[in-house]
Amino acid sequence: MEMQVRILMILILVIISGTGNTYSNESGDFSNAPLGLRPGTEAPDGSGELGSGGVNASGSGVATKVPGSPGTRSGGVTPPAGGVATDAPGSEEKSNEQRNPVLRGVIKDATDGETLIGATVYVTETGQGTVTNAYGFYSLSIPSGSYNLRVSYLGYETMEVHITIQDNISRNFDLRPSSLALEEVVVSARRRDHNVTETQMSTVQLNAETIKRVPAFMGEVDLLKTIQMLPGIQNVGEGFSGFSVRGGSTDHNLILLDEAVVYNASHLLGFFSVFNSDAIKDMSVHKGDIPAQYGGRLASLLDIRMRDGNVKNFAVTGGIGSIASRLTLEGPIVQDRGSFMMSGRRTYADMFLSLSSDSLVRNNTLYFYDLNMKGNYIINDNHRIYLSGYYGRDVFAFQDIMNLNWGNATQTLRWNYIINERMFSNTSLIYSDYRHTLGFNQGINNINWNSGITNYGVKSDLSFYLNPENTIRFGTQVFRYKFQPGNITSGNNGSGITIPQNSAIEYVLYASNDQKLSDRLSVHYGMRYVVYQNMGEARVYSFDDNYQSTGYTDYGRGEIYNTSGGLEPRLSAALMLGPVSSLKSSYSRTRQYMQLASNSSAGMPTDVWFPVSPNVKPQISDQAALGYFRNIADNMFETSVEVYYKNMQNQLDFRDNAQINFNEKIEGEIRTGMAEAYGTEFMVRKNEGSLTGWISYTFSSTRRKIDEINNGDWYRANYDKPHNFSLVLNQDLGRRLDVGLNWVYSSGAPVTLPTGRWEYGGVIMPGYSERNGYRLPDYHRLDLSVTIQLGMARERRLNHELNLSVYNVYSRKNPFTIYFEPQEGSAHNMGAKQLSLFGIVPSVTWNFKF
Amino acid sequence: MLINSLYFVALMLLPVIIHIPFPGKLISKVLRKMDMSGTLKKAAVPVVPDQSDAVKSSFHRKMTETRNMRSFPRKGVFLMAGIILLSGTSCIDDIELKLDPEQYSRLVVQGSVTDADSAQTVILTRTIPYDRHEPNPPATGAMVTIEVDGTSYLLEEVSPGYYESRDFVGQVGSTYILNILYEDETYTATSTMQPGFELDSIGFKKFTMGWPADMPHYEILIYGQDPPEPDDFFLFKHAINGEWADTLYKWSIYTDIFNNGEYLEGESIAIIESRADSLEVQVMAMSIGEDYAWFINDAIFNYMPNMFFSPPKANVKGNLSNGAFGFFLATSVHFSEKRMLYRVNYE
């Protein structure tokens, strides 16, 4: 292990020393990298893009607006600049001896001061360009001279500026939304050809506007449902927000909300997600090629950033929908220096329950709510802090007999610090928590079951913009996890039973570099190293070869009883084949140190997270992918084809008929094996014009092999649906009307159906011969929505719109599950039944902003 | 302005229009169905101790039904799912399925040795394809023996697939080995008879939570001393008017792993519903091992229509070798007195 640390350190040194140019502290661009690290890794080539923006970024910029005075010198102190700038192709000036001056600044929305992630700055004369990063910063080094700049962002009016550069300067730009902005679907806010030029592959970024234009179930805009229509991402069941990425399980997805882990992203058993679209600024999903800054989950990273709030004016937005209402307040704390945002949402379906005449229905409670809050403040040019939090709960009670509550809480305190012109740092204190309570009441007796997971820690990420060809990121993280599998109490006398809680501590060190080797070839390479230690107090059972417990060992508080970890290399490369096409490839290894004890296909709120241990090894995934990216018609259409292969080790499943609740020996129920997945993903996306949207098709296969399951033969994974097709369109019909359409088709999910029958205890028992040997009928569905603008923005009065959505327009009865039950008449007649969850579901939502 | 207000009002009303009429009736119906299959009852009432119970033990008593406790989260979520889905637009349809016929037919064993004064019986049948809606055929012509303490007893096939012997009576503490030779395959199982549970008496209590609300529901309570041995498991069955409720989801399993040796004072073992003025009730206590308790548990889970959140479907494994289904159980059986339940006493 020490050896590995040493290797990593050496790697960092090699990266720093090997990248060529030394850097001089004076100018240069640097940017901040977001905490998020490498989102885009970028090193593109061709133009200087930086890729980072998107992904991770957190939201806002560090810097404030320094009025731009050109010519201002910025020495170290200036506002940070941002982008990761990579620079331009053209400028090959190996600027060793003489570095070019640096132009940098922040690009914001002129109306509310929200920083723009992925806006472009383009130098007409040289063809150089860069893109703002997650905090809205850009930085570009160009030879001294006079230039025309084009500053642009999709959905905003392009700004043309003439500047003269002699020395480092900082310029901020405020872009105005174009008049069409409201109707325009901005599928990607980033550079028009970023998909071709960036090294990063297997990544999709969506902003809140895009997500809001997709027809929504019950009118509740849902980010998780939207990403399920992207290639390579599958849902786990009709209407559920759980998803599987490239053959992974639902617990293989790292879901971050402002950097804090969201352990269960579902409301109402998964029919809605915890993300309130009004509070979300930007989201990106990595299906592979996960930046080295992130890890801990095998399959994907879903990085969601909350809005910072309007720094110029106080604003209220909200909506009233069929099942929930939303209200968001935002405004400056100090004009142009700090802002806040508070957003709440609550469902009111339970109010209709009380209208029922049936007491069985009337005396129930069923609702959820969310609260998102964020504040940020610019202390000075080099320091900016953010505080963000989320709190949400689901509340369900049935007749005073039973209650079930669950929810997440997260908090993130971030500090952006611009160390010098080329070095940006972000340090975050992060807390997140998920817990549920299930209680039964009967007279004076009651039982309550509490379970949860808490983690908190600190991470520090640095970006070092060494020169236009190299952007180095490195950082460290320490997290503490506390697992509480079960704590059962009786209200009578407080007696109870507790399955001992245990904890773990995770140390992470990572480094990566985006390097442009030539105009045509750029690479990204990174390494992540994790040490994961289980810590007492804990009781650890040991098991023999037959999974029978042979005793246990108790460990005291703070005692380390198991250490695991390892290196996770991440590599990718992009080769430009021409001005509009590129070939990319990537390889990444990811490891996972905790998992969800879930025994059902869809996942339940009562599923419990548990860590690796002496009995449970970390899961490992190796993924390789190859992709061809090409833009057509002046970047109007983006097309891509990606092929991936993934091999997963130490995959968990539970033995047949496992007992996973209240079982302190749950590790004895686990069986491990391997899984492999491969697939091809096609996508065509149109981001501009009055018709926008995408078409995607995925062919994929995922199989698992575990000795004690299915007789040790390969079997289909639960989410193995070979064919997946999605069509997502949005047509702008003039200034007031906007129509959206989705059509999705997928193969049916695998199911296990009985082949034989036998009788015992007076009932007919099923006999199975193969797990997941059958498939449900194919799934398809059409959704439509119409959005009517009732008041136009521009002026500062009420701006509102009406959205009508219809889910499952032709009321297709898609099977959610198939089961058997005895038929009337004959005791031996078991009839097959199909449960379809949703027929046609219309809904209406009214959104307003003033 | 006026138009905006109208819009507003209309929007407020729309959800109401969309969600009504509320299918309350459907919900009740389905809840009752879940109730029948053992889901809801167990969920709502893991075990209902008598109110007069010592508070001290009531919690442990609740914990006793391992089966209920471990499955109660699932049931809770079930209930919630039921409410959500049934208030929506979900629907259940019959479908035609083409199931592959089984590759081969397996042997199914229902065998027991008891210490009661009756024959030791082993019933052998064979599995058939799932969509053949008929009784399982008997497995005839097998050679069935039960061995205890070195002596082997041959069971005679008294009717097709029905093998019995009256040559011996089971004894607590003895280990019985079942051997079956059927169509050139041998199958074996071993079971040790555990100490039985002496039922002192039984009682009744009105159960207030059942559906429909106007149907009288009663709990059947048992009284008796748990034997001193630790880790006992007992199976309780009840008979109404002489008819044993012999379907597995009506059985009740009790374990003393948390409170060994206690006197059970009014442990609820079943909930019955009836509009009759009087019923004659009897309870049977059978000693079982932990393996049989889990077998029954798994069997119930696999039998129940599992609409949501079902765990992976898997064969229920008994204690027979060579892939045969079923179970061979040595059990000590005790019966309670028959007792009358008069409706008028509980009104």
Side-chain angles (χ1 to χ4, degrees):
Chain A
M1 196 151 290
E2 254 173 53
M3 186 66 178
Q4 289 170 312
V5 174
R6 209 166 294 151
I7 291 171
L8 192 70
M9 296 311 285
I10 291 171
L11 183 85
I12 294 173
L13 289 175
V14 169
I15 290 173
I16 292 174
S17 59
T19 41
N21 312 336
T22 42
Y23 92 88
S24 78
N25 203 355
E26 278 219 44
S27 37
D29 25 347
F30 73 122
S31 70
N32 60 288
L35 3 94
L37 194 341
R38 159 195 181 203
T41 283
E42 161 86 63
D45 49 7
S47 29
E49 188 101 347
L50 109 350
S52 86
V55 177
N56 21 222
S58 72
S60 36
V62 168
T64 231
K65 101 164 312 171
V66 170
S69 47
T72 308
R73 195 184 167 162
S74 49
V77 190
T78 33
V84 166
T86 325
D87 184 275
S91 59
E92 307 257 273
E93 48 250 344
K94 297 275 171 185
S95 45
N96 245 340
E97 7 316 357
Q98 242 193 336
R99 299 195 66 86
N100 290 322
V102 175
L103 168 69
R104 73 194 160 274
V106 181
I107 302 178
K108 293 191 261 192
D109 182 315
T111 57
D112 61 10
E114 197 84 28
T115 51
L116 300 178
I117 302 175
T120 312
V121 180
Y122 183 76
V123 183
T124 316
E125 286 80 0
T126 66
Q128 284 176 267
T130 188
V131 172
T132 55
N133 75 354
Y135 299 88
F137 303 115
Y138 72 94
S139 168
L140 187 62
S141 80
I142 34 179
S144 303
S146 250
Y147 299 100
N148 286 306
L149 294 184
R150 277 222 334 258
V151 183
S152 60
Y153 184 73
L154 258 153
Y156 286 75
E157 286 169 5
T158 299
M159 200 176 204
E160 306 258 358
V161 188
H162 185 80
I163 58 159
T164 303
I165 296 189
Q166 239 125 48
D167 210 342
N168 296 334
I169 61 169
S170 117
R171 280 294 293 269
N172 295 329
F173 301 104
D174 289 352
L175 296 183
R176 303 213 132 264
S178 71
S179 48
L180 283 176
L182 275 170
E183 286 86 16
E184 188 151 8
V185 174
V186 183
V187 172
S188 166
R190 305 168 77 188
R191 224 181 102 101
R192 295 179 72 204
D193 60 353
H194 74 94
N195 63 308
V196 170
T197 55
E198 283 180 10
T199 326
Q200 180 85 51
M201 65 187 295
S202 311
T203 298
V204 183
Q205 188 203 16
L206 297 173
N207 65 14
E209 274 311 302
T210 308
I211 296 163
K212 283 178 185 171
R213 293 298 168 203
V214 174
F217 174 59
M218 301 280 240
E220 277 307 293
V221 171
D222 194 333
L223 176 162
L224 294 186
K225 302 263 182 66
T226 305
I227 67 167
Q228 290 170 4
M229 291 186 282
L230 296 171
I233 303 180
Q234 315 211 336
N235 70 7
V236 301
E238 157 108 68
F240 282 84
S241 52
F243 59 99
S244 159
V245 177
R246 290 184 170 176
S249 304
T250 48
D251 64 349
H252 288 168
N253 304 315
L254 179 63
I255 301 177
L256 298 179
L257 180 61
D258 272 1
E259 293 188 85
V261 176
V262 175
Y263 286 100
N264 184 335
S266 70
H267 274 312
L268 227 59
L269 300 181
F271 296 118
F272 301 96
S273 81
V274 300
F275 304 109
N276 174 353
S277 58
D278 283 353
I280 302 302
K281 174 180 191 164
D282 186 85
M283 182 260 351
S284 60
V285 56
H286 296 245
K287 300 178 286 185
D289 195 14
I290 296 172
Q293 182 184 3
Y294 298 101
R297 297 291 186 280
L298 286 195
S300 77
L301 162 67
L302 176 59
D303 189 14
I304 298 163
R305 302 282 164 163
M306 279 161 40
R307 294 174 52 223
D308 301 326
N310 193 324
V311 294
K312 296 188 188 299
N313 302 297
F314 185 76
V316 180
T317 51
I320 295 171
S322 297
I323 71 147
S325 284
R326 290 164 278 120
L327 186 67
T328 303
L329 307 177
E330 59 189 311
I333 299 172
V334 176
Q335 188 87 13
D336 287 334
R337 266 188 106 73
S339 62
F340 75 95
M341 187 272 305
M342 291 172 63
S343 184
R345 173 171 69 154
R346 190 196 189 280
T347 61
Y348 35 65
D350 54 324
M351 293 172 191
F352 302 112
L353 291 176
S354 63
L355 297 175
S356 169
S357 59
D358 187 333
S359 69
L360 196 59
V361 174
R362 199 168 53 227
N363 299 333
N364 299 321
T365 312
L366 180 64
Y367 65 88
F368 67 78
Y369 61 88
D370 291 307
L371 195 57
N372 292 74
M373 283 182 292
K374 188 161 179 176
N376 74 88
Y377 187 74
I378 296 163
I379 298 167
N380 63 31
D381 288 347
N382 288 337
H383 298 275
R384 183 169 183 173
I385 53 169
Y386 301 83
L387 178 63
S388 51
Y390 165 83
Y391 187 84
R393 280 291 179 270
D394 273 73
V395 180
F396 169 57
F398 179 71
Q399 306 271 318
D400 298 335
I401 296 175
M402 195 206 92
N403 63 77
L404 172 60
N405 305 322
W406 76 87
N408 296 280
T410 71
Q411 262 166 23
T412 314
L413 175 63
R414 278 180 287 177
W415 168 43
N416 285 176
Y417 171 39
I418 289 147
I419 299 168
N420 63 40
E421 292 240 312
R422 291 166 178 279
M423 210 174 292
F424 172 85
S425 79
N426 176 72
T427 303
S428 304
L429 292 174
I430 298 168
Y431 168 86
S432 61
D433 176 88
Y434 172 75
R435 58 195 52 259
H436 74 256
T437 308
L438 176 60
F440 282 108
N441 278 295
Q442 167 76 53
I444 57 162
N445 305 301
N446 61 65
I447 304 175
N448 272 297
W449 174 32
N450 285 299
S451 165
I453 176 170
T454 302
N455 86 290
Y456 51 86
V458 59
K459 61 188 272 195
S460 188
D461 302 307
L462 283 98
S463 301
F464 178 29
Y465 296 94
L466 178 61
N467 55 32
E469 286 78 34
N470 291 283
T471 302
I472 297 168
R473 294 167 218 270
F474 54 98
T476 176
Q477 305 167 8
V478 180
F479 279 101
R480 176 86 187 264
Y481 297 85
K482 283 186 176 173
F483 300 90
Q484 295 150 273
N487 177 22
I488 304 166
T489 54
S490 160
N492 298 328
N493 52 5
S495 67
I497 287 181
T498 300
I499 295 180
Q501 76 169 40
N502 59 84
S503 53
I505 190 157
E506 181 186 38
Y507 304 91
V508 178
L509 205 56
Y510 73 88
S512 69
N513 184 27
D514 294 319
Q515 186 171 8
K516 201 165 68 176
L517 296 174
S518 76
D519 276 359
R520 299 185 59 196
L521 181 64
S522 42
V523 293
H524 167 86
Y525 43 94
M527 187 68 86
R528 176 183 175 87
Y529 180 66
V530 178
V531 175
Y532 194 91
Q533 296 184 309
N534 294 86
M535 197 191 270
E537 97 195 272
R539 170 168 293 185
V540 178
Y541 289 86
S542 47
F543 298 91
D544 63 19
D545 292 343
N546 295 318
Y547 303 98
Q548 296 303 308
S549 170
T550 56
Y552 60 82
T553 316
D554 281 328
Y555 295 94
R557 179 168 288 277
E559 197 177 338
I560 304 290
Y561 63 87
N562 182 44
T563 300
S564 42
L567 289 171
E568 302 175 31
R570 316 278 168 90
L571 303 167
S572 56
L575 177 68
M576 292 296 291
L577 300 174
V580 291
S581 64
S582 65
L583 194 62
K584 302 184 196 182
S585 64
S586 70
Y587 161 76
S588 62
R589 163 167 280 206
T590 46
R591 290 170 195 259
Q592 181 158 344
Y593 300 93
M594 52 195 279
Q595 42 265 318
L596 203 54
S598 178
N599 204 12
S600 68
S601 48
M604 295 196 290
T606 54
D607 292 339
V608 172
W609 286 91
F610 67 100
V612 297
S613 77
N615 300 309
V616 183
K617 287 194 219 127
Q619 301 181 55
I620 300 175
S621 163
D622 291 291
Q623 180 177 198
L626 187 65
Y628 175 71
F629 298 78
R630 184 184 180 93
N631 287 0
I632 301 171
D634 190 24
N635 295 320
M636 180 86 87
F637 294 93
E638 296 176 357
T639 65
S640 63
V641 183
E642 288 193 36
V643 185
Y644 67 88
Y645 174 80
K646 204 159 146 179
N647 186 299
M648 293 167 271
Q649 304 167 47
N650 301 329
Q651 294 301 289
L652 304 190
D653 211 328
F654 292 92
R655 71 170 177 89
D656 290 348
N657 301 304
Q659 298 302 319
I660 61 172
N661 290 315
F662 306 117
N663 187 350
E664 68 281 7
K665 296 172 195 162
I666 189 172
E667 292 174 351
E669 308 284 73
I670 292 170
R671 302 294 179 265
T672 55
M674 58 196 281
E676 67 170 16
Y678 58 85
T680 311
E681 301 166 353
F682 299 86
M683 189 169 189
V684 177
R685 208 151 93 158
K686 183 169 181 286
N687 297 329
E688 298 169 43
S690 64
L691 178 71
T692 54
W694 68 84
I695 299 174
S696 76
Y697 167 75
T698 308
F699 171 76
S700 63
S701 169
T702 310
R703 307 189 297 162
R704 293 162 78 88
K705 187 177 190 304
I706 295 174
D707 285 347
E708 294 84 355
I709 293 174
N710 198 38
N711 302 318
D713 295 331
W714 286 97
Y715 62 95
R716 293 169 183 154
N718 289 343
Y719 317 123
D720 174 53
K721 302 174 195 168
H723 302 283
N724 257 278
F725 178 86
S726 301
L727 175 65
V728 178
L729 292 179
N730 191 283
Q731 173 72 54
D732 171 14
L733 295 169
R735 312 195 94 209
R736 290 190 161 264
L737 202 59
D738 186 274
V739 179
L741 173 153
N742 313 329
W743 187 72
V744 293
Y745 166 87
S746 78
S747 312
V751 284
T752 306
L753 294 179
T755 49
R757 62 156 69 187
W758 51 292
E759 257 181 273
Y760 194 90
V763 301
I764 291 165
M765 301 293 304
Y768 301 101
S769 47
E770 187 186 3
R771 180 179 287 205
N772 287 343
Y774 291 84
R775 286 192 183 282
L776 294 174
D778 290 351
Y779 181 98
H780 52 92
R781 191 189 82 224
L782 175 70
D783 307 330
L784 290 175
S785 73
V786 177
T787 306
I788 305 158
Q789 297 293 331
L790 301 173
M792 297 303 286
R794 282 323 189 108
E795 305 92 71
R796 307 201 72 265
R797 58 185 180 94
L798 180 66
N799 170 26
H800 60 140
E801 64 180 27
L802 188 64
N803 176 282
L804 306 158
S805 291
V806 184
Y807 180 87
N808 199 0
V809 173
Y810 51 86
S811 202
R812 156 88 178 167
K813 286 180 178 171
N814 285 304
F816 177 73
T817 184
I818 287 177
Y819 62 94
F820 296 87
E821 65 178 21
Q823 299 293 88
E824 303 282 322
S826 164
H828 295 284
N829 198 350
M830 296 294 281
K833 304 278 181 185
Q834 162 184 314
L835 171 70
S836 314
L837 290 194
F838 304 109
I840 181 168
V841 183
S843 58
V844 182
T845 308
W846 178 63
N847 295 314
F848 60 87
K849 177 168 190 165
F850 58 84
Chain B
M1 189 64 191
L2 177 67
I3 294 207
N4 286 348
S5 320
L6 282 177
Y7 267 124
F8 189 79
V9 172
L11 285 170
M12 293 299 286
L13 287 176
L14 255 163
V16 182
I17 295 160
I18 289 167
H19 285 269
I20 289 174
F22 213 89
K25 287 237 169 68
L26 182 60
I27 291 185
S28 323
K29 199 174 142 201
V30 170
L31 287 180
R32 223 171 298 132
K33 189 179 276 182
M34 293 166 84
D35 189 30
M36 257 180 51
S37 59
T39 316
L40 186 59
K41 220 158 253 175
K42 302 291 187 193
V45 196
V47 167
V48 187
D50 191 66
Q51 302 270 345
S52 61
D53 243 13
V55 171
K56 156 182 98 39
S57 65
S58 73
F59 178 69
H60 283 313
R61 188 139 301 157
K62 282 175 181 156
M63 281 304 293
T64 51
E65 263 214 67
T66 331
R67 172 159 68 87
N68 280 332
M69 284 308 291
R70 291 214 172 134
S71 57
F72 97 130
R74 185 172 297 276
K75 287 167 179 171
V77 174
F78 252 44
L79 206 56
M80 182 170 175
I83 301 264
I84 294 170
L85 299 180
L86 297 169
S87 58
T89 61
S90 62
C91 69
I92 294 170
D93 298 300
D94 293 333
I95 54 160
E96 286 291 315
L97 280 181
K98 248 201 203 148
L99 297 175
D100 294 338
E102 224 177 8
Q103 304 291 325
Y104 57 95
S105 178
R106 298 208 222 193
L107 185 68
V108 183
V109 178
Q110 296 187 63
S112 63
V113 170
T114 73
D115 57 355
D117 184 17
S118 62
Q120 316 304 341
T121 59
V122 172
I123 303 166
L124 300 183
T125 54
R126 285 185 292 123
T127 60
I128 52 173
Y130 195 82
D131 45 12
R132 291 245 308 266
H133 304 300
E134 55 195 57
N136 290 62
T140 60
M143 191 177 77
V144 182
T145 59
I146 293 174
E147 187 186 325
V148 57
D149 299 331
T151 315
S152 191
Y153 299 92
L154 180 67
L155 277 70
E156 190 186 338
E157 186 168 7
V158 295
S159 62
Y162 201 93
Y163 302 80
E164 66 171 46
S165 167
R166 292 180 183 269
D167 297 343
F168 67 103
V169 172
Q171 272 192 327
V172 170
S174 294
T175 298
Y176 298 86
I177 302 166
L178 173 72
N179 283 295
I180 300 168
L181 176 63
Y182 176 68
E183 293 188 345
D184 298 333
E185 295 278 335
T186 51
Y187 305 87
T188 61
T190 306
S191 184
T192 301
M193 193 181 293
Q194 306 293 333
F197 186 92
E198 303 262 4
L199 285 160
D200 288 348
S201 62
I202 58 172
F204 310 110
K205 199 176 103 184
K206 186 172 173 64
F207 180 64
T208 52
M209 225 73 74
W211 295 279
D214 62 340
M215 167 73 83
H217 286 73
Y218 314 92
E219 291 174 66
I220 303 176
L221 313 176
I222 55 156
Y223 299 80
Q225 177 65 46
D226 177 53
E229 293 81 3
D231 297 350
D232 293 324
F233 288 80
F234 301 108
L235 176 67
F236 296 97
K237 301 180 184 180
H238 64 277
I240 308 292
N241 295 333
E243 191 173 326
W244 289 100
D246 222 358
T247 26
L248 51 83
Y249 53 80
K250 292 181 179 169
W251 300 346
S252 179
I253 291 175
Y254 173 87
T255 170
D256 67 355
I257 56 177
F258 294 105
N259 48 340
N260 180 38
E262 256 184 44
Y263 187 81
L264 297 192
E265 184 137 355
E267 186 75 26
S268 171
I269 57 123
I271 292 162
I272 53 177
E273 55 173 56
S274 170
R275 295 187 201 276
D277 290 333
S278 69
L279 300 168
E280 183 202 72
V281 180
Q282 191 183 14
V283 173
M284 179 205 303
M286 299 168 66
S287 67
I288 59 175
E290 183 170 0
D291 52 355
Y292 189 70
W294 284 115
F295 174 76
I296 294 299
N297 176 74
D298 297 345
I300 289 175
F301 260 119
N302 277 275
Y303 162 72
M304 270 187 346
N306 244 338
M307 292 191 279
F308 325 107
F309 307 108
S310 62
K313 302 280 197 305
N315 287 323
V316 178
K317 290 208 174 67
N319 60 351
L320 282 125
S321 67
N322 206 7
F325 287 133
F327 210 94
F328 170 64
L329 174 71
T331 177
S332 171
V333 180
H334 293 265
F335 292 90
S336 73
E337 304 272 298
K338 291 174 184 161
R339 218 190 125 182
M340 296 303 292
L341 164 64
Y342 295 104
R343 179 178 178 178
V344 64
N345 291 350
Y346 297 92
E347 307 227 299

